[in-house]
Amino acid sequence: MNQRMLWREGRQSLRRRLLTTLLVPLTMLLLFNSLITYVGALIYANHVHDENLINDTQTLVQMMATESPDGRVTSQAQFLLEYEPEGRNYFSVFSAKHGLIAGNPVLKPPGGLFTGDGKQPQLYDVQIDKRSLRAASLLMTNTRDPGDQLEVTVAETLRDRHKEARQILLLSIPAQTLLILAAFMLVWFGVRTGLRQLDPLTTQLANREHDLAPIGDANVPVEILPLTRTIDGLFARLRSMLALHERFIADAAHQLRTPLAGLSVHAERAKASSDPETISDALTHIQRLIQRANRTSSQLLALTRAQTTVHEAGDSAPLNLATLIPELVGQRVHEALAADVDLGYDGPAGPLWVDGDRHRLQEMLDNLIDNGLRYAGRGSLMTVSLTRESTEICLAVEDNGPGVPPSWIERLGERFFRVPGSKEEGSGLGLAIVQRIAEWHNARVRYMTGSQGGLRVEVVFPSMRVA
């Protein structure tokens, strides 16, 4: 399925998302740049017009000094000063002694505007008829009355300034737009080229059939490393699960071969014989072999579950072993009495908290107790105890049975291992299940000879603090 078909299905596109993410900032950048351009153009236009305004004021002062000694402004000069195609400009001449001589009476410089001799033009803002104006004022001496001073002011509206700023903006927008478009095309090309680096990885994964080997970090872009490492983690979990399945199949075939073969032999024996005793004996053997097969299959399933070392959210919770273990031991008392085994518990009164899974712990303790009931022998004693060891908690199951020779203790916990010479039938999976469940809880298992010569199995858990 090609990319266009995926787009039509409404699937998310990384390329489209990248381009959209970049297009919005580029558009905002164009608007911001346009604003900056307009402000800059307006500042430039104000500077130019201020210079022209000062020149007009100085020209009017010179003209009045040479051509109008009485401070009057001719009608022609007044027309030129006030003329504006779409509005009007303003001027005024105020005498310190006689007041307004010419021009607009509202356009009077504010008090305190002039400092020093007043020969330098002064610029300021003013409003007339709700219009904002920019004005320039100068002081000059009245040639007819040397003791009198004239305030000469020329003002203009801001329309031309804004108009010129807009013209500059309109001239710059096409160039800026082309620049942004060119940048966007370069980004689009870069994104398209960059995403092509995923093609070899896609091809590599597509060509795999049953290969779950890690992708590795070689020739993988840095930005894709988190994804490939996550895929490698997934492959590792799949390899582990497949290995468990393959091991389960192999173990099942290994362990069920003998009872199935026995079932076939005794079934043929019962079928071929007419002797009631022979048939009864064959059925007894068949029943025992069926029980053995059931127990073996159950323990194989338990071992497979115990070998799953991946912790999912909610698998574990704070557990008080001082409350849980006595409860679980109490559930096995009737079986112990039936096997003529004295099963007891010894532990502290205070809480002993661990982070664990109740069902797995019950399965582990059941296998430890089953191991004692099976091999300790009738009339034996079995004690389940809990003790605190510094920052750890020790769960121990000890019996006074025949025990295990020291040369074989190190092999306890191996799959299908049974102590040579043992008369009791078993699958050799019970302690292997205990070992795997302990590893799931980050605990360790210790095998040793008990104080009364039997077997002692200790499971040491890291304790946890509960607020």
Side-chain angles (χ1 to χ4, degrees):
M1 186 178 293
N2 59 32
Q3 197 172 55
R4 290 184 179 179
M5 294 180 65
L6 292 176
W7 284 351
R8 290 172 183 173
E9 290 181 0
R11 295 181 181 269
Q12 294 184 352
S13 167
L14 178 59
R15 179 181 300 164
R16 183 181 297 175
R17 178 173 295 182
L18 286 173
L19 294 176
T20 302
T21 303
L22 291 171
L23 180 59
V24 173
L26 287 175
T27 304
M28 297 299 295
L29 179 61
L30 175 61
L31 296 176
F32 181 73
N33 193 31
S34 298
L35 177 62
I36 294 297
T37 301
Y38 179 77
V39 172
L42 186 59
I43 292 174
Y44 175 75
N46 284 332
H47 177 73
V48 172
H49 277 263
D50 284 348
E51 291 291 335
N52 293 335
L53 193 59
I54 290 174
N55 291 334
D56 290 344
T57 305
Q58 291 173 338
T59 301
L60 178 59
V61 169
Q62 292 175 2
M63 182 179 66
M64 291 175 59
T66 57
E67 299 179 6
S68 303
D70 58 351
R72 304 291 176 178
V73 179
T74 63
S75 59
Q76 294 84 355
Q78 181 173 345
F79 174 78
L80 293 175
L81 286 171
E82 294 181 344
Y83 173 75
E84 185 182 9
E86 297 183 13
R88 59 176 300 188
N89 289 331
Y90 302 84
F91 80 98
S92 68
V93 179
F94 278 89
S95 167
K97 292 182 177 182
H98 306 290
L100 180 67
I101 296 177
N104 194 304
V106 181
L107 189 61
K108 179 175 175 57
L113 177 66
F114 298 102
T115 58
D117 57 4
K119 301 300 183 181
Q120 295 297 324
Q122 301 297 319
L123 293 168
Y124 58 95
D125 296 321
V126 67
Q127 277 199 341
I128 296 178
D129 299 332
K130 297 183 180 180
R131 283 187 173 187
S132 296
L133 292 91
R134 185 70 167 167
S137 295
L138 269 175
L139 285 180
M140 64 174 292
T141 302
N142 192 337
T143 54
R144 283 198 168 187
D145 185 0
D148 186 21
Q149 280 191 324
L150 301 179
E151 295 176 342
V152 180
T153 302
V154 176
E156 66 178 9
T157 61
L158 304 180
R159 186 188 61 82
D160 288 341
R161 301 168 184 245
H162 291 287
K163 181 178 179 181
E164 291 175 7
R166 287 195 297 270
Q167 289 175 345
I168 294 175
L169 175 63
L170 293 176
L171 289 174
S172 65
I173 282 180
Q176 294 176 4
T177 303
L178 289 176
L179 182 62
I180 293 295
L181 290 176
F184 182 76
M185 294 301 295
L186 289 175
V187 169
W188 178 81
F189 178 77
V191 169
R192 182 178 182 183
T193 304
L195 291 178
R196 284 180 178 173
Q197 296 186 20
L198 297 178
D199 293 344
L201 178 61
T202 304
T203 304
Q204 177 186 349
L205 293 175
N207 291 335
R208 292 190 178 193
E209 294 183 359
H210 305 290
D211 184 11
L212 295 178
I215 300 172
D217 296 346
N219 301 323
V220 177
V222 176
E223 293 78 9
I224 309 300
L225 278 179
L227 174 62
T228 57
R229 288 173 179 173
T230 303
I231 294 175
D232 286 345
L234 174 62
F235 283 171
R237 292 192 292 273
L238 288 175
R239 289 196 302 271
S240 177
M241 293 178 60
L242 290 176
L244 286 176
H245 293 164
E246 292 173 359
R247 184 180 296 175
F248 174 79
I249 293 172
D251 292 345
H254 177 268
Q255 288 297 305
L256 296 179
R257 184 184 299 116
T258 300
L260 289 176
L263 284 173
S264 177
V265 169
H266 289 293
E268 291 292 337
R269 178 183 164 203
K271 183 178 178 181
S273 176
S274 58
D275 183 14
E277 293 185 1
T278 301
I279 295 175
S280 177
D281 182 68
L283 292 176
T284 301
H285 281 84
I286 289 174
Q287 185 179 19
R288 186 171 0 154
L289 288 171
I290 290 175
Q291 292 174 349
R292 177 181 173 184
N294 284 335
R295 175 173 174 78
T296 299
S297 60
S298 298
Q299 286 204 307
L300 284 171
L301 290 172
L303 179 62
T304 301
R305 289 194 301 268
Q307 290 177 143
T308 304
T309 57
V310 178
H311 289 241
E312 300 291 343
D315 278 355
S316 59
L319 297 174
N320 183 8
L321 294 185
T323 302
L324 176 63
I325 298 302
E327 176 188 341
L328 299 180
V329 171
Q331 297 175 7
R332 303 300 304 273
V333 169
H334 294 292
E335 294 180 50
L337 291 175
D340 194 18
V341 174
D342 185 3
L343 175 63
Y345 168 77
D346 181 25
L352 298 173
W353 292 96
V354 299
D355 186 30
D357 177 73
R358 176 189 174 93
H359 299 292
R360 286 183 170 91
L361 289 177
Q362 181 174 2
E363 193 164 27
M364 180 184 70
L365 184 60
D366 284 343
N367 277 278
L368 288 173
I369 294 176
D370 286 342
N371 187 74
L373 295 179
R374 184 178 297 274
Y375 296 106
R378 301 185 68 84
S380 61
L381 298 174
M382 183 188 306
T383 303
V384 179
S385 62
L386 280 174
T387 55
R388 180 181 293 279
E389 299 179 356
S390 183
T391 59
E392 297 177 320
I393 298 172
C394 177
L395 168 65
V397 178
E398 181 178 350
D399 62 63
N400 63 349
V404 177
S407 57
W408 299 113
I409 284 184
E410 292 184 357
R411 296 197 59 186
L412 295 178
E414 294 182 9
R415 292 183 308 123
F416 309 121
F417 173 74
R418 299 179 67 247
V419 177
S422 176
K423 297 180 181 180
E424 295 293 331
E425 293 184 355
S427 62
L429 293 175
L431 293 181
I433 294 172
V434 171
Q435 190 82 31
R436 300 291 89 77
I437 294 177
E439 292 173 357
W440 192 93
H441 286 86
N442 296 319
R444 62 184 188 277
V445 183
R446 300 187 297 213
Y447 304 98
M448 61 191 71
T449 301
S451 59
Q452 300 182 37
L455 177 65
R456 179 181 175 88
V457 182
E458 296 181 348
V459 183
V460 183
F461 296 88
S463 63
M464 67 173 296
R465 295 180 179 179
V466 178

